[in-house]
Structures are given as structure tokens and as C-alpha cells.
Amino acid sequence: MSRKIEILEQVQEVMPEEKSVKKVKIDSVEDLPGVGPATAEKLKESGFDSLLSLAVASPGELVEAGGITEATARKVIKAARDTMNMGFESGDELLERRKNILKISTGSKSFDALLGGGFEAGGITECFGEFGSSKTQIAHQLAVNTQLPKERGGAEGVCIYIDTEGAFRPERIKQMSEHQGLDPIQTLKNIKVARAFNSDHQMLLVEKVEDLIKNEGLNVKLVVVDSLMSHFRADFSGRGQLADRQQKLNKHMHTLQKLATAYNLVVYVTNQVMAKPDTFFGDPTAAIGGHIVGHNSQTRIYLRKGKKGTRVAKLIDSPHLPDGEAIFNIEETGVKDV
Ligand code: ADP
Ligand code: MG
């Protein structure tokens, strides 16, 4: 009798080990060790719905999202990483891939040329400049051009427009779309506008964009935040609030960046600088938001008014494009070459 129990215990001890030694093929979140159906559900609800999302997560995030211990979280991350083909790409493959990167045309050949073809998907592009420098006009133009076919510099995609200043004008979209030969009503339908009332609301709206893509199947190719900093500046104006502001802003920029990369879309943010920046900032090309915005925007463009009503775009510290300027016009028909 006692021997039988002993044997049983031995078997029970051996069983789990044997189970873990046996290679289980991991195809989805549920297949990961330590992840039961309930945990998988919780993780998915928090956006950890793919092996990749788990492979790049931090243990703390998974503890919070899945209600699991840190040790389990580490195991889950490791197992997810083991399934990844973290292969390196050779330079020529990268070059080939970069050639195929989606770019949305601005409507001006010279502005497009400055940007190597247009506003680039997969990253954040920031335009900063003083009031009237055409930041919002460019947002409207991109919202229309995103809907053009690829041959004409578009992506046949939808635009999400987060408006913090009440500057979105459907009439202007109508005007621009007519000049592009697009149906104005259809064009307006493909622009989803949300007015953000404060910085938290703005952050929440951006976090909801993923829902629209995943659950409502919207082919979002452009996300506009016009303007990025106005609420952050107003909501965190007190002394000693700068650190808080930068922390939130950093999170906001990361959400935008993740959207850009995960869904291969263009993120366009605008940023206002004061009329006499030299007096306030020392550097006329330093936008509000400081290094957090600067470091998170892959492409930064300084906009100003030029001669005879023209606008001038100047590329600032681009990692892969030569410095330069483009001159263009804002006409009734939209953004045009001079
Ligand atoms: P910002 O967002 O940088 O403050 P805007 O994009 O609002 O600047 O630029 C406003 C400018 O755009 C106006 O001063 C005007 O020159 C031009 N603009 C706006 N609407 C039209 C239009 N329908 N036709 C021609 N130009 C326009
Ligand atoms: Mg504006």
C-alpha cells in the first residue's frame, strides 16, 4: 500500500516535467506556458493579442494586464520571444523595403521632394511654426490626399483627425476634394474627426484609434493631431508640472509611434511656436514640447511665411534626408507649387 502511494507520488512529480520537456508548438497567446484561457482573455483585452506584442512587453505590464505573477510574466515573455524569428536583414533588403515605404503626397512637388516623396508611413512627422504658417491647411490636404489612389500619391485610406483647437473645416475638405476629382461627401465620410477637450481626452482618443482599425476594420492610413501641444500646455501650466507633462507627453508620443509602426500609417502632428521665438526660446526652430516631442518625431519640419504669400518648409535634423527648404503656396485648390 505504502509503496503504491510512493510510486504514485513519483509519477506525479515526473509528469509535469515530462509535459514541459515535450515541445509544444506555440502559435497563439493561449499556447504560452502559464497562460490559461482566462489569462489569455485578460491579456487580449489589454491589447496583448499577438506573440509579438508579448515578446516586446515588459514583465510589469503583463503583471498588471494579466493578473499573473512576475515570474510567470517573465516566462511568458521568454517563450514569446523564442517563437520570434528575430532575423537580421541585409542592407540591400532594407534598401528595397525603404523604396516601397508608403508616402502621402502634400500636393506640392517641391514639398514632396524635400521629404523624399511625401509624408512617410511608419513614423511621426511634425510641422511646427507660428500661427498662420499653414500647419492646419497641410493637415486638411493630407486628409484628402490619403484617399487618392497610390499612383497619385495617396493610399486609398481613411484619416483620423484629432482636432484640439476646433480648426477642422469640412467646407475646406469639400473644396480640396473637388479639386482632386474626388467625391466630396465620400471624402468627408472617410475622415473621422474627434474634438479633444483636454490632454487626457486627447490621449484617450489616440488610444482608441487601434480599436477602429482592429474592431471596425477601418483602413486608417493617416492620423492627425492638430495641435499636439495646446492642451498639454494649458493643462500643465503650473510650476513644477513640467515633469508630469513630459511623462504624459512621452506616453502619448509612444502610442502614436506604435500606431505608425504597427499599422504602417502616417502620423502628422502640429506644434505652434510663438511669433518671436528668439525672445522666448533662444532657438527659433525649437518647438514647444522640448526634447520629448523632438526625439519622438522622425521628421520635423519648420514652417514659416515666405515672400508674396508663399510658405517655406525647412527640414530639421532628418536622419535620412538632406537638409533643405521647399517653397509652396496655399491656394483655394489646396497646397500647390509656386
Ligand atoms: P496654422 O495652422 O499654422 O496656424 P493655417 O493652416 O490655419 O495655419 O493657415 C491659415 C492660412 O491658410 C490662411 O492665412 C490662408 O493664407 C490660408 N488659407 C486658408 N483657407 C484658404 C482658402 N480657402 N484658400 C486659400 N488660402 C487659404
Ligand atoms: Mg492651425
Side-chain angles (χ1 to χ4, degrees):
M1 191 67 179
S2 76
R3 209 174 147 249
K4 208 171 177 186
I5 291 172
E6 218 173 85
I7 291 170
L8 257 175
E9 273 172 359
Q10 272 179 8
V11 170
Q12 272 170 354
E13 257 172 47
V14 171
M15 281 295 279
E17 250 181 66
E18 276 184 349
K19 217 173 153 192
S20 69
V21 168
K22 204 173 84 192
K23 276 263 180 232
V24 190
K25 196 163 165 1
I26 296 174
D27 289 322
S28 66
V29 178
E30 287 90 346
D31 300 335
L32 290 164
V35 178
T39 306
E41 198 48 44
K42 277 192 214 158
L43 288 172
K44 284 182 179 179
E45 272 168 19
S46 304
F48 295 103
D49 54 358
S50 64
L51 292 171
L52 177 62
S53 65
L54 289 166
V56 299
S58 69
E61 282 178 308
L62 298 194
V63 168
E64 202 180 306
I68 51 179
T69 65
E70 192 177 320
T72 309
R74 286 188 191 282
K75 260 188 232 160
V76 166
I77 292 166
K78 184 176 180 310
R81 285 185 179 182
D82 288 346
T83 68
M84 296 284 118
N85 175 16
M86 297 283 190
F88 288 89
E89 263 181 303
S90 59
D92 62 323
E93 284 169 338
L94 270 173
L95 180 68
E96 201 47 45
R97 220 152 48 81
R98 279 206 56 84
K99 273 193 214 154
N100 297 321
I101 283 182
L102 172 68
K103 308 232 169 111
I104 308 284
S105 169
T106 61
S108 148
K109 285 198 180 71
S110 106
F111 197 173
D112 284 354
L114 179 76
L115 301 174
F119 277 56
E120 194 172 293
I124 302 172
T125 301
E126 173 194 0
C127 278
F128 62 103
E130 62 184 72
F131 179 76
S133 60
S134 76
K135 303 179 293 294
T136 299
Q137 290 299 308
I138 290 168
H140 281 67
Q141 188 70 67
L142 290 173
V144 171
N145 290 3
T146 295
Q147 304 186 41
L148 290 169
K150 291 214 168 73
E151 317 80 80
R152 292 182 58 202
E156 288 170 58
V158 168
C159 164
I160 305 286
Y161 201 114
I162 295 165
D163 182 11
T164 74
E165 296 173 335
F168 180 79
R169 292 283 173 278
E171 299 81 5
R172 188 69 176 124
I173 296 292
K174 202 163 165 269
Q175 216 174 21
M176 287 174 167
S177 59
E178 276 162 2
H179 285 286
Q180 294 285 26
L182 292 170
D183 172 34
I185 298 301
Q186 198 51 49
T187 309
L188 283 164
K189 279 192 177 146
N190 285 331
I191 304 174
K192 312 289 175 197
V193 187
R195 180 80 199 268
F197 293 102
N198 57 47
S199 55
D200 281 328
H201 189 206
Q202 181 180 330
M203 290 174 76
L204 184 66
L205 286 169
V206 167
E207 278 156 28
K208 291 285 173 204
V209 172
E210 190 160 24
D211 267 4
L212 295 176
I213 299 172
K214 285 209 296 207
N215 303 333
E216 297 190 26
L218 283 188
N219 178 30
V220 177
K221 283 294 150 199
L222 171 68
V223 175
V224 171
V225 183
D226 182 29
S227 86
L228 180 71
M229 290 301 300
S230 54
H231 285 318
F232 280 94
R233 234 183 319 160
D235 297 348
F236 299 89
S237 57
R239 275 166 170 243
Q241 285 187 298
L242 189 67
D244 270 359
R245 185 188 85 175
Q246 295 307 81
Q247 198 186 4
K248 288 219 163 173
L249 191 55
N250 199 15
K251 183 165 180 249
H252 189 44
M253 296 304 282
H254 273 123
T255 315
L256 287 166
Q257 178 58 58
K258 265 192 182 166
L259 278 176
T261 339
Y263 300 101
N264 192 35
L265 50 81
V266 175
V267 172
Y268 170 45
V269 303
T270 71
N271 203 348
Q272 199 187 331
V273 292
M274 299 299 170
K276 279 200 246 160
D278 50 345
T279 325
F280 294 103
F281 299 99
D283 175 3
T285 58
I288 301 155
H291 69 280
I292 299 271
V293 176
H295 284 178
N296 282 294
S297 308
Q298 279 85 4
T299 309
R300 308 188 73 209
I301 301 156
Y302 177 53
L303 290 174
R304 62 183 162 82
K305 290 180 184 168
K307 284 181 192 141
K308 294 183 187 157
T310 59
R311 299 292 191 278
V312 184
K314 181 181 164 64
L315 207 55
I316 308 287
D317 299 332
S318 168
H320 63 270
L321 292 166
D323 288 350
E325 285 191 346
I327 303 174
F328 59 92
N329 269 331
I330 304 289
E331 293 171 9
E332 208 188 293
T333 54
V335 176
K336 286 280 144 25
D337 279 308
V338 174

